[in-house]
Amino acid sequence: MAFTVRTFAVLDSTNAEVRRQAAAGAPEGMVVVAERQTAGRGRRGRTWVSEPGNLYVSILLRPPAEAAAQLTFAASLAVAEGVESLVPGRRVACKWPNDVLLDGAKLAGILLEFDGEWLIAGIGVNVAHHPGGTEFPATDLGGAVTVSHVLESILARLDVWLAVWERDGFAPLRQAWLARAHGLGGPIEVRLPDRRLTGIFRGLDADGALILGGADGDERILAGDVFPAV
């Protein structure tokens, strides 16, 4: 895929800018980067701290509606492999549904927004700094690499995984993601809006839903926040 990168000093959010551009007919592959965001968001409307020094990027894609959610895993793999190529020897893992961990702490998050005809993949990577006081530990790359190098590496790997997905479907993405899955085979807690569930992280189904094993059998989880079971 041909990516066209536009960089801004300040935006409300890169997802919001791509949404505006998509509504105006922007083509697939448009990439928006901001040095700082004034209204960055994570999943479930959480604030994403967006001071200069980290990577804030959103990418416009136009997949079929029924397959849009699968691209979370393409984005996660692209971030994981892109980072790993820059910091060899470090442990990079994927945490369901959309986080990337470095040595067990959160390094990056992904926010996908779909609106029928287009999909926005928003990615935040802690390059130079990370927020403190988070329930799940966070980390950063310590300024060892530049934001531009991280972006370049992620886009290169995303191009590869999008091509694999278009050619072979979701199965190879699922397999590669599970090979990096944080907590696979162990006890986890899944927090839903109305309840908390504990069980064994058994894997992903053919659509990318988490399979949680419990005393009464397996349960399919479409969305939620995952933490180690205590």
Side-chain angles (χ1 to χ4, degrees):
M1 176 179 295
F3 295 112
T4 302
V5 180
R6 299 184 62 190
T7 300
F8 296 80
V10 181
L11 284 173
D12 48 357
S13 81
T14 57
N15 269 31
E17 177 62 21
V18 171
R19 189 182 308 113
R20 291 188 287 265
Q21 295 293 333
E28 184 175 43
M30 187 186 70
V31 178
V32 168
V33 179
E35 295 177 10
R36 183 170 70 89
Q37 298 181 117
T38 60
R41 291 180 298 111
R43 291 182 64 244
R44 302 181 185 274
R46 299 185 182 100
T47 299
W48 186 273
V49 177
S50 306
E51 293 304 312
N54 290 343
L55 174 62
Y56 315 111
V57 57
S58 295
I59 303 153
L60 177 62
L61 303 169
R62 296 186 182 273
E66 64 275 11
Q70 298 175 2
L71 295 190
T72 296
F73 299 91
S76 295
L77 287 167
V79 173
E81 293 179 354
V83 167
E84 191 171 64
S85 70
L86 297 172
V87 288
R90 306 287 295 276
R91 181 165 53 92
V92 183
C94 294
K95 177 175 172 288
W96 191 89
N98 60 354
D99 290 340
V100 174
L101 309 182
L102 179 66
D103 297 332
K106 181 173 176 177
L107 177 76
I110 298 162
L111 176 64
L112 265 64
E113 297 182 315
F114 184 68
D115 190 17
E117 296 183 0
W118 42 260
L119 175 74
I120 300 170
I123 300 171
V125 181
N126 298 330
V127 178
H129 53 81
H130 65 273
T134 55
E135 184 173 6
F136 194 94
T139 190
D140 58 62
L141 294 173
V145 295
T146 65
V147 169
S148 61
H149 282 149
V150 176
L151 175 62
E152 181 181 352
S153 295
I154 290 173
L155 291 180
R157 296 310 301 165
L158 182 60
D159 188 41
V160 170
W161 282 111
L162 289 175
V164 170
W165 175 75
E166 290 175 355
R167 184 183 66 242
D168 300 323
F170 180 59
L173 277 69
R174 176 181 177 275
Q175 181 179 7
W177 190 95
L178 284 171
R180 292 182 175 273
H182 177 72
L184 182 64
I188 59 171
E189 178 182 83
V190 181
R191 299 181 186 177
L192 307 176
D194 59 343
R195 57 190 174 130
R196 297 186 180 190
L197 304 173
T198 57
I200 302 300
F201 180 13
R202 299 205 185 281
L204 303 176
D205 72 4
D207 297 317
L210 183 147
I211 303 302
L212 184 69
D216 298 325
D218 291 345
E219 184 165 355
R220 182 172 181 263
I221 309 295
L222 294 174
D225 294 318
V226 173
F227 293 84
V230 294

